[in-house]
Amino acid sequence: MGYQQKLLGVVASTGILSIMLLGSFAPAWAADYKQAPMLDEQVKAGKLPAVANRLPEKPYVETMVDGVGKYGGTLRTTILANGDQYNLTRTIANELLVRWDPQWKKVMPSLAEEFKASDDATTYTFKLRKGLKWSDGHPFTADDIMFWYEDVFMNNALSPAKNPTFTVAGKPVKVTKIDDQTVEFKFESPYGLFLQQLAYGQGHLPVIYPKHYLSQFHEKYNKEGIPALLKANPAAGDWVALFNSKVSLSFQPPFWQNLDLPTLNPWVLTVPYADSERVAATRNPYYWKVDTAGNQLPYIDNVTWAKLDDPQVMALKMTSGEFDFAFRHINNSTFKSVLFDGQKTGNYRIVDVKDLPASDAAILLNLTSTDPVKRKIFQNKDFRIALSHAINRQEIIDLVYVGQGAPAQVAAQPEHELYNERQAKQYTEYDPKRSAEILDKIMPKKDAEGFRLDETGKRFTINFMVADVFGLSYPDIMQMVQQYAKDVGIDIQIRTTDRARLNTMWAANEQDAYIWNCVGGLSDAYTDVRCYMPFQKADIFFAVRWAEWYSNHNTGEEPPANIKELMAAYDRVNAAVTDDDRREKMKEFLNLSADNFLNIGISRPMPKYMMVSNNLKNVVNGLPIAGNLWHPAPTLTQWYFDKPTK
């Protein structure tokens, strides 16, 4: 069915279907598990239990690409110095209750060895693997999920806006503990996309809150001890800030600064992201997956990231052989020729990656700006149309993207069954005359320099925040957009920043506008609609206050009728139980999104790639990228070096 994701277990003739896949049954060699040699001494010294006692009763059995691998080595890669925590989530933080298979075709069990879905798509039951353990050896049970639900998600101080992954029509899920290994997620209305969303970017939330560790920072469990902890952490201010400094709702930087936070992931941090030069992680001795021969995964002992400020330096270090793996920020047309030519000297090969977002670069105006004049103009669809017609996309593609790309708005890609030609191509013609005619009706008066005046008589100026990320030359693109806008009388002022500061600004609704990429183009077209409508506050780009309202109608700002209609259309997508119905509802939603024209796309992206050492095996070619957790995860645990590395 093309890229239509098939939801396992939602519809069955019996009403409820139980899903049990590879890893649910104890293999014949369960008594003869093997471990990495680096752990042998700790076991002999009694510092670690034997490997069979560290694994769950039924570990997940990973299917190998090239075959059973070898233990050892350090994977050397790189990371930007600020705001690049998603680089970490896509490598060492990818464990969820359920997961997509590596080709993004179906949802599979993961931490949950079995799951059930009711035929009306309102109730989902998950049975955890018995014997799962956090990286410190403490059991992971239903109590940890209930801690997340009762004490974090439903706590208004910690979660004032409820994550939309766990809400339907603004109403939050109800989670119930059935027994130590079983939890039930129940929604008031049908939520046919829940398993897909749970296997996607925000599905980590129920499994990153170890109750035994985090309780000490929670007022409910340690009210008398909190004052002493705050005294030792004066920057926190209150218990909420203290709690959030130890973990974070969406893998933001605090998650990567706390070396004491137990995890279920394959590697655990040893050098935090706050370090000035590098980030480092070592294997989790309690990791719960094995290969087909009973070897505990991962094969690679350690992972290190060199922290760099410049994607050009990343590319040069890759070609000189200093990294074993790299993809973010340099896997684009800007660096492709250099990286292609450097394969021999760098001892690496280029591997295809199916990374086709909805847009490589999009103009994102803040529709909920606190400035009433700018808000009114930004919310005017005709203004957005005028600005779109003012942009010479082909010139940007020729000069910045080296001719690779095509003029396009934010839209599902042509390869996808949801491709909407009207949405992709509307208002992409370079037509400054038409742009000026539209703007003359909105802001007819100009100053002595030819810039348009707003209704207060002041020059209308858009302060564009720009971060040089992804190796996509956003500053270069914005300088060209700045000139195109000037030609039709719009004053754009460029404000450069790093990604961390930009994250803070959009979360606080402080920006006028900025340029970024947009997800939802291929693998994640159904599940990540944050560029088609205001959707997730954590990563929303253009209307934070409306997104807050969508998550929880008691917070944020109620949007206008047309936006509420768009949100209701996506609610109908969520409610659809069958694939066919979901596809039709999604097409209706995308048509409505096209009608609203909320964001301005620049170019349709071209396929991406990654660089991997010639010594690395079990690397999937053509692995899809989608969300924050899915590249190169979930396959990195089976990577191994066929030649020894230090």
Side-chain angles (χ1 to χ4, degrees), residues 566-581:
L566 182 62
M567 292 171 170
Y570 190 65
D571 286 341
R572 291 191 288 273
V573 176
N574 269 325
V577 173
T578 68
D579 287 341
D580 290 343
D581 188 31

Side-chain angles (χ1 to χ4, degrees), residues 233-536:
N233 299 269
D238 59 22
W239 79 267
V240 172
L242 176 66
F243 188 92
N244 287 331
S245 73
K246 303 301 178 180
V247 68
S248 57
L249 291 178
S250 55
F251 282 146
Q252 295 301 315
F255 189 92
W256 304 108
Q257 318 297 21
N258 184 4
L259 301 184
D260 296 326
L261 180 66
T263 180
L264 298 166
N265 293 313
W267 293 273
V268 295
L269 283 180
T270 56
V271 178
Y273 189 34
D275 186 80
S276 61
E277 296 183 353
R278 69 188 186 113
V279 185
T282 192
R283 69 168 58 254
N284 173 4
Y286 291 93
Y287 190 59
W288 43 279
K289 292 182 183 179
V290 298
D291 67 16
T292 51
N295 299 298
Q296 185 188 32
L297 296 171
Y299 292 127
I300 292 173
D301 290 334
N302 306 295
V303 185
T304 62
W305 294 258
K307 291 184 72 174
L308 300 170
D309 292 316
D310 190 345
Q312 292 186 20
V313 177
M314 290 180 172
L316 291 175
K317 286 182 175 291
M318 189 74 221
T319 61
S320 64
E322 296 182 47
F323 301 140
D324 302 300
F325 162 64
F327 69 108
R328 282 173 66 83
H329 312 298
I330 58 175
N331 63 341
N332 51 64
S333 57
T334 303
F335 299 105
K336 191 165 188 178
S337 60
V338 172
L339 290 168
F340 183 84
D341 293 340
Q343 291 179 82
K344 185 175 181 180
T345 57
N347 189 35
Y348 61 84
R349 64 192 186 276
I350 292 179
V351 176
D352 291 335
V353 173
K354 294 178 181 177
D355 180 15
L356 289 176
S359 178
D360 252 352
I363 302 299
L364 303 152
L365 304 174
N366 185 2
L367 304 186
T368 57
S369 170
T370 56
D371 183 318
V373 175
K374 290 182 178 179
R375 169 193 287 245
K376 181 179 178 180
I377 293 174
F378 291 163
Q379 289 186 13
N380 186 333
K381 177 183 173 182
D382 286 338
F383 176 79
R384 300 193 297 272
I385 292 173
L387 185 55
S388 182
H389 279 307
I391 298 171
N392 189 337
R393 290 170 174 80
Q394 192 58 54
E395 187 172 52
I396 291 175
I397 291 167
D398 291 340
L399 296 180
V400 179
Y401 288 97
V402 200
Q404 298 184 44
Q409 300 291 359
V410 177
Q413 295 306 311
E415 298 89 334
H416 202 286
E417 66 185 9
L418 293 174
Y419 177 64
N420 182 318
E421 185 173 7
R422 176 176 73 95
Q423 184 177 36
K425 295 184 178 181
Q426 63 180 351
Y427 318 125
T428 57
E429 301 89 354
Y430 175 52
D431 192 344
K433 181 180 179 180
R434 174 60 179 150
S435 175
E437 290 173 349
I438 297 172
L439 291 171
D440 286 342
K441 297 178 181 179
I442 301 171
M443 291 179 285
K445 296 181 180 180
K446 298 179 183 180
D447 62 17
E449 295 181 62
F451 288 108
R452 296 182 184 274
L453 305 178
D454 63 30
E455 62 187 29
T456 69
K458 296 180 180 179
R459 178 185 292 187
F460 181 71
T461 299
I462 307 174
N463 294 307
F464 254 91
M465 304 304 297
V466 181
D468 192 4
V469 294
F470 310 126
L472 293 176
S473 301
Y474 284 163
D476 295 336
I477 295 173
M478 275 313 304
Q479 286 178 10
M480 297 179 72
V481 172
Q482 182 183 46
Q483 183 58 53
Y484 301 142
K486 181 180 179 181
D487 292 343
V488 294
I490 298 297
D491 180 30
I492 286 179
Q493 295 298 314
I494 298 172
R495 303 284 186 263
T496 58
T497 184
D498 60 39
R499 183 173 183 174
R501 171 60 179 153
L502 188 52
N503 288 348
T504 301
M505 290 187 69
W506 81 51
N509 195 41
E510 295 176 345
Q511 86 286 2
D512 278 358
Y514 67 103
I515 183 172
W516 207 251
N517 65 8
C518 271
V519 296
L522 194 62
S523 300
D524 52 358
Y526 283 88
T527 50
D528 202 333
V529 297
R530 74 184 92 162
C531 282
Y532 300 126
M533 78 172 210
F535 184 53
Q536 294 176 347

Side-chain angles (χ1 to χ4, degrees), residues 53 64 110 197 258 316 382 384 479 618 627 646:
N53 295 326
M64 303 291 105
S110 193
Q197 293 285 13
N258 184 4
L316 291 175
D382 286 338
R384 300 193 297 272
Q479 286 178 10
N618 275 344
K646 295 182 179 181

